[in-house]
């Protein structure tokens, strides 16, 4: 890292601090030549690949605004939404990929949203998983009911590989 004052390549780290709950590291450096100090930040890269093929940095705010619509009229607070967006980011980062398709972001929202509010989840899922018919909703509701029974509480990401163009029954 080149010193912004004298352009020397030689600097040493005098302090390192995590920020944003450990997602980034901020380093205080001291130039070995001019002794001036400067700060660098380090964050791991997470890009979203849009359907158009364009990429953009992952933004929690986009998750929140996407989910907020589905939560209209539901008892979901802004704090809930912020936490959900963080869970989604944590999940995606845990995958270890530098780039994730936009579709995967939507899918990563499903499990925590279901925990938060089942009605909002159904609304959101109906868009992201292309529910076409009443049966799609019925199947999903049946699934919610079944999983609502006191079994395990680990939310499993529902298989979503079904091609959109293939009508017909899905395994329950
Ligand atoms: Zn310097």
């Amino acid at each position: 890292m080149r010193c912004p004052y004298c352009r020397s390549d030689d600097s040493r780290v005098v302090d390192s601090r995590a920020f944003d709950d450990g997602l980034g590291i901020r380093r205080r450096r001291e130039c070995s030549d001019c002794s001036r100090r400067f700060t660098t930040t380090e964050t791991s890269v997470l890009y979203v690949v849009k359907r158009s093929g364009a990429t953009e940095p992952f933004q929690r705010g986009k998750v929140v605004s996407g989910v907020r619509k589905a939560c209209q009229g539901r008892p979901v607070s802004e704090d809930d939404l912020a936490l959900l967006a963080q869970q989604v980011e944590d999940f995606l980062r845990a995958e270890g990929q530098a780039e994730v398709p936009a579709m995967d972001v939507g899918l990563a929202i499903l499990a925590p949203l279901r925990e938060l509010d089942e009605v909002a989840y159904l609304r959101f899922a109906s868009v992201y998983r292309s529910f076409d018919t009443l049966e799609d909703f019925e199947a999903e509701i049946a699934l919610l009911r079944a999983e609502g029974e006191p079994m395990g509480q680990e939310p499993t990401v529902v298989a979503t590989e079904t091609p959109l163009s293939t009508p017909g029954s899905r395994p329950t």
Side-chain angles (χ1 to χ4, degrees):
M1 179 61 64
R2 196 167 273 187
C3 170
Y5 304 106
C6 73
R7 315 217 139 245
S8 164
D9 279 328
D10 200 11
S11 68
R12 65 188 186 91
V13 176
V14 291
D15 187 34
S16 294
R17 244 166 246 239
F19 68 95
D20 202 5
D21 207 19
L23 285 177
I25 290 182
R26 199 166 273 138
R27 294 186 205 283
R28 199 81 184 121
R29 290 172 176 274
E30 186 178 291
C31 175
S32 306
D33 287 331
C34 73
S35 297
R36 279 194 264 200
R37 292 190 171 187
F38 55 99
T39 302
T40 57
T41 59
E42 204 175 278
T43 52
S44 66
V45 177
L46 182 60
Y47 281 98
V48 177
V49 186
K50 298 197 281 189
R51 248 167 272 211
S52 63
T55 58
E56 62 179 20
F58 175 86
Q59 293 163 272
R60 287 187 210 172
K62 290 212 163 180
V63 171
V64 169
S65 57
V67 172
R68 188 183 281 128
K69 276 176 236 157
C71 292
Q72 268 172 19
R74 302 299 305 165
V76 175
S77 70
E78 285 299 308
D79 282 352
D80 291 333
L81 291 176
L83 180 63
L84 182 139
Q86 194 187 323
Q87 287 172 318
V88 169
E89 179 169 0
D90 290 348
F91 176 83
L92 294 172
R93 285 188 182 278
E95 306 263 281
Q97 308 287 329
E99 296 185 347
V100 293
M103 192 68 184
D104 285 7
V105 178
L107 296 176
I109 288 170
L110 291 174
L113 184 57
R114 191 168 68 178
E115 294 272 290
L116 197 57
D117 188 278
E118 291 184 344
V119 171
Y121 162 78
L122 275 176
R123 289 175 181 162
F124 191 84
S126 71
V127 175
Y128 260 89
R129 295 177 50 213
S130 305
F131 289 3
D132 300 319
T133 64
L134 215 49
E135 283 73 30
D136 289 332
F137 280 95
E138 282 171 353
E140 193 62 39
I141 290 167
L143 207 63
L144 280 173
R145 290 231 168 91
E147 292 181 8
E149 318 259 301
M151 296 285 289
Q153 46 203 5
E154 281 291 299
T156 46
V157 175
V158 180
T160 48
E161 301 299 314
T162 319
L164 303 181
S165 54
T166 317
S169 58
R170 290 175 192 171
T172 43

